[in-house]
Amino acid sequence: MYLHIDCNAYFASCEVATRPGLAGRPLVVANGNENGGGVILALTPEAKALGLKRGIPLFKVRSLLRLNDVVVCPADHKKYRRISRQIMDTVQQQGIVLDFVQYSVDEFFGRLPVEEPATVTHYVRLVMDLITSTTGIPVSCGCSQTYTLAKVATHYAKHYSGYHGVCVLTPDKRNKALAMLPVADVWGIGRKHLQKLVGMGIANAKQFADCDEHTVDSLFSLTGLRTWRELNGTPCINLNRPATQRSIMQSRTFARMTDKREDLEQAIRTFADACASNLRSQQSVCRSVTVFLSTNRHRDDLGQYRNSTSVKLPSPTAFTPSIIKAALAALNTIYREGFLYKQAGVVLTDITDEKGVQLDLFNERDDERHRKLMQVTDELNRKFGGNNINFGHTDLN
């Protein structure tokens, strides 16, 4: 059986887990800006009960928050990544789930080597209990014949209290479950696919699953066809190794605008460090580093400026210091004094597989030392969570 684990109200749950005194209180997590505003990103059940929802700007509900003593926490993405890594390591060490992979900061997939529903439920609850006891994060779990159907099962585990957090979707229950699920909620159905399906009069997942395979193949991309097959019980998605990205980007819209070069340098260091780590995780190297800067386009009262430039590396690499050096050189080229900057980012391009790189005879020894250093750094960060060893940090994001 395929397993899907989804953390409940993840950002809010992380805040409660790390500050137990907030348990039972209405709490929202919001991104911030220089005016003290922001948008709600996550909220606890107690906050939902007040009518609050994700995506609502804080200024629109300021009085409601104050009247009900709602705790407002600024988003701490470093904390959320650290706890996500802890969940990943904890489940892997338990040894129950096979091929366990992290799909996003709050979602995980794996396989269980059992099929009987009662046995599946038993093992899933062991995994759930371990996650909650070690991290304090509540989760919902779905199991079925494919990854996509497991996601469908998780939908019901989340929205129907009778499942107590675990839904095992067997073939005999599949049609009923798909008939009750809006096609827009199916994993793999994007905006373009949805428009076509609506035009065809398809409203729920079962209607899509009942389509003729030739029709699906002719109207949709390979992703759409895979989704259709998975809804019909045929596994065809491989998550063990994600597809190699042709470009890797890290950027941030800052909570506070800044005109200080040193602030931007710290931000660019952090972004370049994260990009290099992602590059190594897919066993790749890059040849080009791009940096971009932008002021706040919504502030007509301020001077406007945006620019970007790229730096070619002497040879393809995933060595963090080399990528940071190139990124800072690019920043130095485009930085202009007298502007308040709101956004910055780093993009790695010209990416190739590290195994296909022709080593430089004169630098081969240095390349091997660099590779070993990065391997140790990545291993320590995986072991202890987050980015305990890094080459830069910033308080702007």
Side-chain angles (χ1 to χ4, degrees), residues 177-376:
L178 296 182
M180 296 171 58
L181 183 71
V183 71
D185 291 339
V186 175
W187 182 44
I189 299 296
R191 185 179 302 174
K192 292 183 179 179
H193 287 170
L194 182 59
Q195 291 175 348
K196 289 183 180 179
L197 291 170
V198 171
M200 296 166 61
I202 294 175
N204 61 59
K206 184 178 183 303
Q207 290 173 328
F208 177 53
D210 287 342
C211 286
D212 177 78
E213 181 173 5
H214 177 72
T215 301
V216 176
D217 188 28
S218 62
L219 292 177
F220 301 99
S221 65
L222 180 59
T223 300
L225 182 59
R226 285 174 177 168
T227 298
W228 178 86
R229 287 174 176 168
E230 291 242 336
L231 289 176
N232 282 286
T234 301
C236 56
I237 294 177
N238 182 11
L239 296 176
N240 290 327
R241 182 175 177 182
T244 300
Q245 294 176 254
R246 294 184 178 180
S247 65
I248 294 175
M249 181 176 74
Q250 288 284 329
S251 67
R252 186 76 67 222
T253 299
F254 304 136
R256 303 183 307 277
M257 293 184 291
T258 183
D259 60 352
K260 297 179 180 178
R261 183 195 293 263
E262 55 267 32
D263 287 345
L264 294 171
E265 288 178 347
Q266 285 285 27
I268 294 301
R269 284 177 179 273
T270 301
F271 301 152
D273 186 4
C275 283
S277 178
N278 291 339
L279 187 66
R280 292 191 296 274
S281 71
Q282 64 176 34
Q283 293 85 50
S284 298
V285 291
C286 76
R287 189 66 183 266
S288 181
V289 180
T290 299
V291 170
F292 62 87
L293 288 175
S294 177
T295 55
N296 190 341
R297 62 187 178 87
H298 299 293
R299 292 290 300 272
D300 295 334
D301 57 318
L302 299 175
Q304 296 294 312
Y305 173 74
R306 57 179 54 85
N307 204 349
S308 67
T309 192
S310 300
V311 172
K312 285 287 185 180
L313 296 165
S315 61
T317 185
F319 187 47
T320 296
S322 296
I323 292 174
I324 289 178
K325 182 179 179 180
L328 292 177
L331 173 66
N332 187 59
T333 299
I334 62 175
Y335 173 77
R336 297 290 181 270
E337 293 184 353
F339 293 99
L340 286 171
Y341 293 97
K342 181 65 174 176
Q343 186 181 44
V346 173
V347 186
L348 306 186
T349 55
D350 200 358
I351 292 174
T352 57
D353 192 309
E354 64 179 2
K355 295 179 181 178
V357 175
Q358 181 68 44
L359 295 178
D360 186 329
L361 176 64
F362 300 103
N363 294 322
E364 185 172 349
R365 185 176 178 182
D366 285 343
D367 289 342
E368 181 61 18
R369 283 176 35 235
H370 293 168
R371 187 189 65 78
K372 289 182 178 180
L373 175 60
M374 292 297 93
Q375 186 176 6
V376 172

Side-chain angles (χ1 to χ4, degrees), residues 160-185:
Y160 292 86
S161 59
Y163 285 110
H164 303 290
V166 180
C167 175
V168 179
L169 183 58
T170 53
D172 58 304
K173 298 178 181 177
R174 187 173 69 213
N175 284 341
K176 183 177 180 180
L178 296 182
M180 296 171 58
L181 183 71
V183 71
D185 291 339

